[in-house]
Amino acid sequence: MFGNAIILALREIRRNVLRSTLTILGIVIGVGAVITMVTIGEGATAQVQADIQKLGSNLLQVFRGQGFGGGGGARQSAPPFSMDDVEAIKNEISGVRTVAPTIGTGAQAIYGNSNWSTQVQGTDDQYISVRDWPLASGRNFSESELRAGAAVCILGATVQRELFGGEDPLGANIRLGKLSCQVIGTLSSKGQSGFGQDQDDLVVVPLRTMQRRMVGNADVNSIMVSARDGVSTEKVQADIESLMRERRKIRPGADPDFNVRDLKEISSAMTQTTRVLTSLLAAVAAVSLLVGGVGIMNIMLVSVTERTREIGTRLAVGAMARDVLLQFLIEAVTLAAFGGIIGIALGLTAGALATHAFNVPFVLNPGIVMLSFAFSAAVGIIFGYFPARRAAQLDPIEALRHE
Amino acid sequence: MPSGPTPVIDLSQVTKIYGHGEGEVRALRGIDLRINAGEFVAVMGPSGSGKSTCMNILGCLDTPSGGSYKFLGVPVGNMSPDQRALLRRNHLGFVFQGFNLLSRTTALENVELPLVYRHVPKEQRRALARKALQEVGLAGRESHVPSQLSGGQQQRVAIARAIVTQPQVLFADEPTGNLDTATSIEIMKLLTSLNEQRGITIAMVTHEPDIAAWTRRIVRFRDGHIESDQVNEPVREL
C-alpha cells in the first residue's frame, strides 16, 4: 500500500509538472536559504577559528587610548609607551614568554619600477616569535642591527609578490618612503585576518630604524605580549593592566588611557557573533519554509477538489478513509521532500559559490542537511494533513456525483 | 419467513429520511426487497422516486434511517464507514453512468484499482486485470487510457473493474445512460452474459424500458414505495 501510494504520488506530480514545480518552490527557497545561510555561517566561523590559530598563541596586545579600535582622538592624546614599559612587562610580570614593541606607519615601498603602498611595522626580533609567524626565507634581525637601527627589513608575502614577483628579494635594496633598506628575510603567508585585512601586506623594520629614520621619535605605539603556554591569559592581562596603571599613574577607579586586549577573546567573541547571526538568518529562512508549507496545503486543497470524483470512485471500489488519507498525505510529503532535495542541492551550490566569493572555507554540515530534509518532510505532513483529511472525509455518494 | 437459500440482499421496511424538521424529505417510506443470488434486476422509476437512494443503500454507500438491511444474512445497516468500505471491497462491484475511470491511467491500471485495495500482489493483479479485460472483449487495449477509448469501451473497462474481484453483486447505475443505442445493446449483452455465464447477481438502475427489458425482474419505484415488482421475460436482441 505504501509503495503504491508513493508511485501514485509520483505519477500525480509528474502529471502536473508546472504546478508541482511552483508548489514546491516555496520549500525549495526555504530549504535553500537555510542551507546557504548555515554554510556561509559555518564557513565564517571556521575562518575565525583558523584566524585564532594564525594570530599566534596566547597573544595579548597593549594599546594606547581606550576602546576597541579606539577613537583616533583618544589614542592620539594618550601618552605613548616607552621601551621602559616594554622592559617592565617583560621583567616584572610572571607568565610572559616574550614581548615585542611595535610602531606602525604607512609608507610607499618602491623597488625598481614597482611601487606598493603598504604598512611598515617597527619592532624587534621577538615579533615573529610573539606572532608565531615563521620566516619563509632569510633571517631575523640581529642584536647589532636592532641596536644600531640598521637599514634592513623583512617583507610580508604580499609586498614580496607585488615588488619582486618571482624574483628572489633577499639582499635587494628597496625604498620605504625616504629610507633605503636591504631585504634580509621574508615572512610566510598568514592570509586574511578575521577582520578581513591582508596580514601579509607589511614590511617589518627594526624598532630603532623606524623611530629614528621614519617617525622621528622614541615612542612605542603598542606592545605585543605572548603568554607562556599553560598560563591563563586573563591573569597576565590583569597583571599588565595593574602594572601599566601604576607606571602611568592612573588613580584607582579612573579610566585607564590604554587597554590590554586578548586577541583570542576578540576572536571567540566574533565566533559567537557569527554563530548568533547564522542562527538568526537560518530562523528567518525557516519562516519561508513554513510559507512554502502553506503553498503545499493550498495546492493540495485544490487537488482534492479537482479529484473529488476520483476519490468517490476509490471509495466505491473499497478504499477506506485511511487509504485516501494516506494517499494524499504521501503526495504532500513526496512534494515537500522533492522540494527539500532540490533546496538542499541549490543551497549547497549557493553556499559553495558564496563561501568562494567571501573567501571563507566551504564547510559541509551533514547535520543541517539532514535536519532541513526532515523539516521539509515534516512540513509536508503537517500542511498535507488538513487537505488529506478533507479528502478522506468525503461522502462517497456526493463525491461520485461531483462534476 | 419463506424458506429457501439466504437472499443476497434482504431489505425489510427500510426508510431513508434526509434533513429534519420542516425540510425533512422522506426518500424511502418502507421498502421490502429481496434479491437472490443469480438474479438480474432492473430498478426503474421517475426521478425523485427513491430508486437512487435505494441503490446507494444496497451498494453500502449510504445507510438506512430505519428498517433492516441484511447482506448475505449479515445486518449492515449500522456498519461504520470503514466496515462498509470493506464490504464493498470484498463483495460488491460498481458500474456508473459516467464510467468513473481514472483519467490518464491505463485501462489495465483502472481494472487493477480494486485489487490494489485488496492488497493483491502486483503480478497477480496484472494477470487478473488482463483476464477481466479479455472477458469484456478488450484484450489488446490494456495500455490505452480512457481518452483513447470510445464510450462503450470505457464502460467495458468499468465493468471489468467491477468484476475483477469476483463480486457477489454488481450494481449498475444507468450503465447505458451515456451511450448510443447500438453501444447500449453491446453493454446489455455483456451484462447478460456475465449474469448467465458467471452467475453474477446484477442490480441495475435505469429509466429506459428498452434497457430494463433485458433483465429478468423489474422493480418500479414511485414516491418512496415499490409500486410494482414483476418477473420479466428478457429480450435477447433489439
Side-chain angles (χ1 to χ4, degrees), chain A residues 208-224:
Chain A
R208 197 155 281 176
T209 313
M210 170 70 98
Q211 287 172 332
R212 284 187 189 158
R213 306 205 197 178
M214 294 189 77
V215 294
N217 60 46
D219 300 343
V220 171
N221 265 341
S222 73
I223 304 167
M224 288 186 166

Side-chain angles (χ1 to χ4, degrees), chain A residues 230-249:
Chain A
V231 174
S232 135
T233 47
E234 283 83 2
K235 166 83 165 59
V236 176
Q237 189 178 6
D239 288 350
I240 294 173
E241 233 156 81
S242 59
L243 175 71
M244 293 309 288
R245 283 182 90 101
E246 194 184 300
R247 291 183 63 85
R248 291 163 84 88
K249 300 185 174 54

